[in-house]
Amino acid sequence: LAKTTQPISMDSYEGQEVNITCSHNNIATNDYITWYQQFPSQGPRFIIQGYKTKVTNEVASLFIPADRKSSTLSLPRVSLSDTAVYYCLVAYAGTGRRALTFGSGTRLQVQP
Amino acid sequence: DAGVIQSPRHEVTEMGQEVTLRCKPISGHNSLFWYRQTMMRGLELLIYFNNNVPIDDSGMPEDRFSAKMPNASFSTLKIQPSEPRDSAVYFCASTRAAASGPGANVLTFGAGSRLTVL
């Protein structure tokens, strides 16, 4: 069973754009890609979801290439409050079940 | 909606005691997931239910763990007997079940139950 792969950690400074890429080589045809954010002592929180090309909301943008084997979460002009762990999640529906398994996530540290 | 509600928020118990964690999903959500999070192992899926029926419990670590969902608005995760290695934050999450497509993976998590087993 394939899994998602993300960088373990990233560092940035306030005001910069941050791009976090997730690899998901065995994504199924009907699967959507979903990103979550988790602050310490809280549960993960939904950020954005997409299927292909580009999706943008008030928090982030999600870029998905045509082959859908990866996706990139883009956070524009990060602030200290964006320091968190970011997870990408893809449901592998090939077995007919939908075990929503999280990877290790990317720990983003934003410095002043 | 009050979101996913978990209780207790914190529990400290001694090894060998029974622990019961509770979860109330969002009204209208028919899929419920239990996760465990530790520094060493990250977020682990323990079990999930669709329409109150357990679908996949392969993540349940051992027979000491059991989960039930007697109705659409309530689920429990029980550990009996508890051990120090069970110390973790346990999260419950819910969503509207859909095999695929928009919203299929959009989980709403509760605040978690932090369990410490001495």
Side-chain angles (χ1 to χ4, degrees):
Chain A
L1 185 67
K3 63 179 182 179
T4 58
T5 303
Q6 306 174 231
I8 294 175
S9 63
M10 296 182 71
D11 292 311
S12 183
Y13 292 95
E14 283 191 294
Q16 289 188 333
E17 178 184 76
V18 171
N19 296 309
I20 305 174
T21 297
C22 178
S23 297
H24 29 78
N25 290 322
N26 287 6
I27 186 170
T29 301
N30 294 326
D31 285 338
Y32 277 63
I33 300 156
T34 312
W35 284 79
Y36 291 82
Q37 174 190 57
Q38 185 178 25
F39 297 115
S41 302
Q42 295 184 26
R45 181 177 71 105
F46 169 79
I47 300 177
I48 196 166
Q49 183 183 67
Y51 183 80
K52 62 181 179 181
T53 63
K54 177 183 176 182
V55 179
T56 298
N57 62 21
E58 65 279 5
V59 176
S61 294
L62 180 59
F63 299 91
I64 305 168
D67 66 7
R68 303 197 332 119
K69 292 185 177 181
S70 66
S71 59
T72 299
L73 175 72
S74 181
L75 304 173
R77 298 178 297 282
V78 294
S79 64
L80 295 176
S81 63
D82 293 316
T83 294
V85 179
Y86 293 82
Y87 298 93
C88 75
L89 191 64
V90 177
Y92 297 104
T95 62
R97 300 183 299 186
R98 185 167 56 89
L100 299 183
T101 303
F102 285 76
S104 302
T106 298
R107 188 174 299 275
L108 173 65
Q109 180 70 48
V110 180
Q111 308 278 4
Chain B
D1 198 316
V4 176
I5 299 173
Q6 292 187 245
S7 65
R9 289 295 312 278
H10 302 273
E11 173 135 357
V12 180
T13 190
E14 293 189 343
M15 183 173 62
Q17 296 298 307
E18 177 179 293
V19 173
T20 299
L21 307 178
R22 299 172 178 80
C23 176
K24 176 180 169 55
I26 290 175
S27 177
H29 283 188
N30 57 348
S31 273
L32 183 141
F33 297 73
W34 281 100
Y35 290 88
R36 176 173 69 175
Q37 187 170 39
T38 61
M39 287 293 292
M40 291 297 296
R41 301 176 69 89
L43 262 172
E44 300 175 276
L45 175 64
L46 300 178
I47 185 171
Y48 76 94
F49 297 82
N50 278 354
N51 298 313
N52 313 337
V53 177
I55 303 300
D56 186 352
D57 65 354
S58 59
M60 296 285 261
E62 48 196 277
D63 292 344
R64 299 184 296 107
F65 285 69
S66 63
K68 294 182 179 179
M69 192 163 186
N71 56 62
S73 60
F74 184 66
S75 177
T76 60
L77 178 67
K78 185 176 293 187
I79 308 172
Q80 167 63 20
S82 59
E83 297 182 2
R85 60 189 168 134
D86 302 330
S87 297
V89 180
Y90 291 82
F91 289 104
C92 174
S94 70
T95 186
R96 288 188 184 86
S100 61
N105 302 343
V106 180
L107 296 168
T108 301
F109 280 78
S113 294
R114 181 175 295 277
L115 172 64
T116 302
V117 183
L118 303 175

